[in-house]
């Protein structure tokens, strides 16, 4: 089983604009019989929304092909905690509830019920009070889990907004504690996908735009990887010993039947 794990933001699209060649690359990989999975550190959007967004750009996608850092956080906590205080958006709330974790939003009034874990992801409605609630719960003994630590999030026209990592950094600063991290660069989700489809490391490619998350996660999981220059990385890093391509179409020559 040959598996291609594709990052979303900065690899297939930026904001609502598809990256050049994204549709033709994915269509060709499917035609060659590869299994496609989309792995994103973005915890805000549920998988069906990400799949719909890809399809609206003409890129083949099913909700079951999409795995998020929010789902990773939920799988890490499944069966271990009862109630989570969440600084995050609907994708994170849905992922936690899907594995039976009760959710209390940090941006809403406190219920007074015991909190077992604080889960921090990207949250565009975060407030000072919400940060203070997360701080209080962790200092009172709750576990601390982060979906991911990406400091920035790419949007249209090359602009950046603060990512989950910016909020995670605030909670680390406020508590002096480090979180368990579910998303890339941790290899947890790549290993989960390989086991799920029955692919070996040699049969698995990870494609992404961030060296410190996508490519590092591939290195830790022992898979092949390709860095694309359509997201946060704009030029091949000096001394980079991995494969680099201008955009996602670079996966086609390296995975062609002739390249083996
Ligand atoms: Mg990316």
């Amino acid at each position: 089983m040959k598996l291609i794990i594709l990052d979303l933001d900065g690899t297939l699209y930026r904001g609502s604009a598809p990256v050049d060649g994204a549709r033709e690359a994915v269509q060709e990989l499917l035609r060659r019989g590869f299994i496609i999975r989309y792995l994103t550190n973005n915890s805000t959007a549920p998988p069906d929304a990400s799949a719909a967004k890809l399809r609206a750009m003409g890129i083949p996608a099913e909700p079951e092909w999409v795995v998020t850092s929010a789902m990773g956080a939920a799988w890490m906590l499944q069966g271990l905690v009862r109630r989570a205080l969440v600084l995050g958006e609907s994708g994170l709330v849905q992922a936690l509830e899907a594995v039976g974790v009760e959710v209390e939003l940090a941006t809403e009034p406190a219920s007074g019920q015991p909190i077992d874990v604080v889960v921090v992801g990207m949250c565009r409605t975060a407030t000072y009070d919400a940060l203070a609630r997360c701080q209080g719960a962790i200092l009172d003994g709750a576990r601390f889990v982060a979906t991911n630590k990406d400091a920035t999030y790419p949007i249209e026209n090359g602009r950046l907004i603060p990512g989950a990592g910016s909020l995670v950094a605030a909670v680390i600063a406020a508590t002096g504690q480090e979180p368990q991290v579910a998303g890339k660069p941790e290899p947890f989700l790549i290993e989960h996908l390989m086991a799920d489809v029955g692919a070996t490391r040699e049969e698995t490619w990870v494609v992404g735009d961030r060296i410190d998350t996508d490519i590092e996660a591939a290195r830790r999981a022992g898979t092949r990887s390709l860095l694309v220059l359509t997201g946060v990385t704009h030029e091949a890093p000096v001394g980079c010993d991995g494969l680099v391509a201008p955009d996602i179409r670079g996966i086609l020559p390296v995975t062609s039947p002739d390249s083996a």
Side-chain angles (χ1 to χ4, degrees):
M1 274 307 156
K2 299 223 176 139
L3 171 65
I4 310 259
I5 299 173
L6 300 171
D7 174 53
L8 291 178
D9 289 293
T11 300
L12 290 173
Y13 52 69
R14 289 185 70 107
S16 56
V19 159
D20 285 347
R23 177 172 61 173
E24 66 183 86
V26 174
Q27 284 175 340
E28 175 60 17
L29 290 169
L30 288 169
R31 197 189 62 76
R32 292 182 190 171
F34 285 97
I35 294 172
I36 300 286
R37 290 292 181 269
Y38 299 113
L39 176 55
T40 176
N41 267 4
N42 179 1
S43 61
T44 60
D48 53 350
S50 295
K53 177 173 178 173
L54 287 164
R55 283 201 302 268
M57 297 174 183
I59 301 169
E62 300 295 334
E64 301 74 38
W65 299 1
V66 181
V67 173
T68 71
S69 64
M71 292 160 70
W75 291 332
M76 286 173 83
L77 293 167
Q78 187 168 13
L80 299 176
V81 300
R82 183 156 178 270
R83 192 169 179 85
L85 181 67
V86 173
L87 186 60
E89 301 186 15
S90 61
L92 183 52
V93 172
Q94 285 184 26
L96 289 164
E97 289 179 343
V99 300
V101 176
E102 292 175 12
V103 170
E104 179 165 334
L105 286 172
T107 48
E108 291 181 357
S111 70
Q113 296 187 59
I115 297 295
D116 303 308
V117 60
V118 172
V119 186
V120 180
M122 186 159 156
C123 181
R124 285 166 285 188
T125 56
T127 62
Y128 186 87
D129 284 347
L131 283 171
R133 285 194 65 200
C134 293
Q135 176 193 42
I138 292 167
L139 293 179
D140 284 345
R143 298 168 65 145
F144 177 18
V145 167
T147 58
N148 63 297
K149 288 174 100 175
D150 298 59
T152 59
Y153 180 92
I155 56 171
E156 292 88 346
N157 305 321
R159 308 270 311 164
L160 296 173
I161 57 175
S166 293
L167 291 172
V168 172
V171 177
I172 292 171
T175 60
Q177 294 191 32
E178 285 288 329
Q180 267 186 289
V181 180
K184 300 172 280 189
E186 298 302 323
F188 171 73
L189 284 167
I190 292 173
E191 289 165 351
H192 176 93
L193 289 173
M194 286 194 292
D196 191 46
V197 307
T200 65
R201 291 169 176 158
E202 294 73 25
E203 293 170 331
T204 301
W205 282 86
V206 174
V207 184
D209 66 306
R210 281 189 191 253
I211 297 165
D212 59 349
T213 54
D214 302 308
I215 305 307
E216 176 62 12
R219 191 189 67 77
R220 293 190 197 177
T223 69
R224 299 162 188 258
S225 66
L226 174 71
L227 176 71
V228 292
L229 304 178
T230 44
V232 297
T233 312
H234 298 294
E235 38 186 70
V238 175
C240 173
D241 53 1
L243 286 170
V244 184
D247 63 44
I248 180 71
R249 286 170 289 197
I251 192 65
L252 297 177
V254 295
T255 59
S256 78
D258 308 330
S259 71

